Amino acid sequence: MSMTRKTLLSAIAALCLTGASSAQAQQASPARFTIAVIPDTQNYVDFTHQKAEGFPFDAREMMIEQFRFIADNAVSRGGDIVFATGVGDVWQHPTIAIDPSHEARGFRARPLPSGMNPDRWTRGVREVEIPASVDAYRLIDGALPFSVVSGNHDYDAQWWEESWPRDLTAPEGDLRRLGMIHVGGLVEWTRAFGAESSFFRDRPWYVASHDGGADSAQIFEAGGYRFLHIGLQFAPSDASLKWAETVIHAHPGLPTLISTHDFLNKDGERLPHPVVNQTVVDPFDNDAEGVWSKLVSRNPQIFMVLSGHHNGQSFRMDRNRSGGAVYQILSDYQDRNQAALDAGMAADKAPGLGDGWLRLMTFDMAGETPSVRVRTYSTHFRVYASDQPDYARRYKPNEQPQMTDEDFLARDEFVIRLDDFRARFGAGAGGGRN
């Protein structure tokens, strides 16, 4: 049974951390380690957000800062970050009108409304966005194991399908004016981040892949345990979910995390985006509830699900079919625009970039009950959320205006007690006392 929203917010607020002050991850101990979660980076590398297009600065440098921070604080370099996972929407624009697979199945696409020439999109993504994304990931390549999954913006094609037309009578800004957006094709994605890319080919910790690497699995060791991580493409098909289950069965007993682009919304619900709802248009795909019912709830090794896509942050805990806790965490800061405002852009013109915010989840495996300290850190401002006096004033109005400042901060800095972790996965190599 899900925790009620009121109970959840009260619990998170009570656990809010205010003592984080160091900008550097602490050196790893046998019992403590950190997983870095990289929220949607699409607006950093958007080719229109670079100096060459008249933007005040090269926003892609903010993505570079994030990855340099992760690399500098990896265990291999004296820090405590053992694994990093990107939750999708790495870049911004599509490259083609419709992918061959959907066209062959009878889909008919109409282009998304835009004043931009599609040929310009193609050049921008191939010449700026993808190279900038690859350059960022190269900074952590060799420093630690990592995963990256596709978001809806990473697909080759993104269109509104003609059977779900735009409602041009809806008010300006109403999402119904976009129709039902559909995506397809991962040629560019798998070329950059697929199983045969230089990032993952022949890496011993990259243990399995599916659909050219659109779905993938990694192993990392920390805190006396071996962990399995599975990355799933956006709106994964039944074939993707069945593949993931075979990977779990091939690694019995390992505590397992899932990263996928769209899972929780900012209200902590497993609901599809009102416009990008693949399952409405394509029965081959699964929404968040489908992923829960067909994969997560029925595999007791899965104890955590990480996601992005929905601007904001949320947390939810549900019990799987075996009664085990599954902690679900949304992290997406792509609409935060303070950096653009600081550069002198007018409030109505300053685009969301992300302001360098990412998630640092520090696991403490000592004692009878392990815990995870979830913090939000900006590599641009070099500060944790709890140390930023204007944090709620800057971001709450756009993300959670109904919340108090305290509750808003509690969404970004809190502690999860892994109450049943030992019972499910044993004491670990250190016997729970390392």
Side-chain angles (χ1 to χ4, degrees):
M1 178 180 297
S2 303
M3 299 174 68
T4 68
R5 182 178 178 186
K6 182 177 179 180
T7 301
L8 174 60
L9 290 177
S10 298
I12 294 176
L15 291 169
C16 175
L17 299 175
T18 58
S21 59
S22 172
Q24 294 293 318
Q26 297 180 356
Q27 187 171 1
S29 71
R32 186 169 52 221
F33 61 90
T34 294
I35 295 174
V37 182
I38 307 160
D40 307 37
T41 54
Q42 65 199 71
N43 291 330
Y44 299 133
V45 299
D46 185 331
F47 75 92
T48 68
H49 295 162
Q50 315 303 326
K51 286 182 179 179
E53 293 286 330
F55 201 70
F57 56 92
D58 285 325
R60 61 190 174 200
E61 292 300 319
M62 297 177 73
M63 184 177 181
I64 292 294
E65 288 174 347
Q66 288 187 318
F67 282 77
R68 185 174 290 120
F69 174 87
I70 294 169
D72 288 347
N73 290 283
V75 166
S76 65
R77 299 180 184 177
D80 75 342
I81 301 178
V82 298
F83 187 77
T85 177
V87 294
D89 277 0
V90 178
W91 57 74
Q92 181 74 292
H93 293 102
T95 56
I96 57 177
I98 185 171
D99 63 293
S101 176
H102 281 92
E103 189 171 31
R105 289 171 53 200
F107 282 79
R108 296 180 63 186
R110 295 180 180 179
L112 284 171
S114 174
M116 192 180 299
N117 186 314
D119 291 338
R120 189 167 175 243
W121 282 15
T122 298
R123 290 196 306 273
V125 71
R126 288 179 175 165
E127 296 174 7
V128 178
E129 296 179 11
I130 295 176
S133 302
V134 169
D135 285 346
Y137 274 91
R138 280 182 180 144
L139 292 174
I140 63 173
D141 187 24
L144 76 173
F146 66 92
S147 166
V148 55
V149 299
S150 62
N152 51 294
H153 280 262
D154 302 314
Y155 282 74
D156 302 324
Q158 184 174 147
W159 72 90
W160 58 274
E161 216 274 331
E162 67 171 8
S163 60
W164 296 89
R166 292 182 289 156
D167 181 1
L168 299 181
T169 66
E172 288 293 335
D174 192 308
L175 293 175
R176 289 174 295 175
R177 294 182 66 88
L178 296 177
M180 187 67 70
I181 298 176
H182 198 50
V183 300
L186 284 170
V187 172
E188 299 289 350
W189 171 261
T190 54
R191 181 179 293 126
F193 296 113
E196 292 303 310
S197 71
S198 61
F199 292 123
F200 304 126
R201 186 176 61 249
D202 299 326
R203 296 301 172 95
W205 45 263
Y206 188 89
V207 295
S209 65
H210 171 256
D211 199 10
D215 307 305
S216 64
Q218 301 80 28
I219 294 282
F220 64 93
E221 298 186 17
Y225 292 86
R226 294 179 75 229
F227 289 84
L228 173 65
H229 175 272
I230 295 176
L232 294 173
Q233 60 189 282
F234 172 70
S237 67
D238 284 351
S240 293
L241 301 184
K242 290 177 181 177
W243 166 84
E245 192 166 67
T246 65
V247 174
I248 293 170
H249 292 168
H251 298 85
L254 297 192
T256 301
L257 305 92
I258 301 287
S259 291
T260 192
H261 184 56
D262 180 12
F263 198 74
L264 286 191
N265 67 15
K266 67 179 182 180
D267 294 320
E269 302 166 313
R270 291 191 296 266
L271 297 178
H273 190 284
V275 172
V276 189
N277 185 356
Q278 291 285 106
T279 57
V280 169
V281 183
D282 194 338
F284 285 10
D285 300 327
N286 283 285
D287 60 14
E289 197 58 36
V291 175
W292 169 264
S293 63
K294 296 178 183 179
L295 176 68
V296 178
S297 69
R298 56 183 279 164
N299 286 279
Q301 286 178 217
I302 301 172
F303 76 99
M304 185 171 286
V305 182
L306 307 170
S307 63
H309 187 53
H310 297 270
N311 179 39
Q313 64 287 88
S314 63
F315 170 82
R316 171 180 180 139
M317 189 280 284
D318 290 298
R319 298 287 174 180
N320 61 29
R321 295 182 187 180
S322 301
V326 183
Y327 307 98
Q328 303 143 73
I329 304 172
L330 163 68
S331 309
D332 180 13
Y333 306 111
Q334 62 178 300
D335 281 356
R336 296 185 170 185
N337 68 347
Q338 188 61 44
L341 293 172
D342 291 346
M345 300 189 75
D348 61 341
K349 302 293 184 183
L353 301 172
D355 288 353
W357 295 100
L358 53 76
R359 274 276 166 81
L360 299 173
M361 304 195 313
T362 299
F363 287 65
D364 189 344
M365 309 306 290
E368 293 296 329
T369 303
S371 64
V372 183
R373 183 184 185 187
V374 180
R375 296 179 294 173
T376 304
Y377 179 75
S378 170
T379 54
H380 178 71
F381 294 117
R382 300 183 181 182
V383 68
Y384 287 105
S386 55
D387 293 328
Q388 170 53 262
D390 296 327
Y391 188 76
R393 179 187 64 80
R394 288 178 174 179
Y395 303 126
K396 188 184 73 170
N398 186 46
E399 295 176 16
Q400 299 285 2
Q402 78 284 0
M403 286 186 176
T404 65
D405 290 359
E406 292 75 16
D407 283 348
F408 182 73
L409 179 61
R411 288 289 187 100
D412 269 328
E413 301 215 349
F414 57 97
V415 170
I416 304 169
R417 286 175 51 88
L418 305 180
D419 292 312
D420 62 358
F421 193 90
R422 299 274 190 233
R424 292 165 68 180
F425 304 113
R433 296 287 188 273
N434 25 15

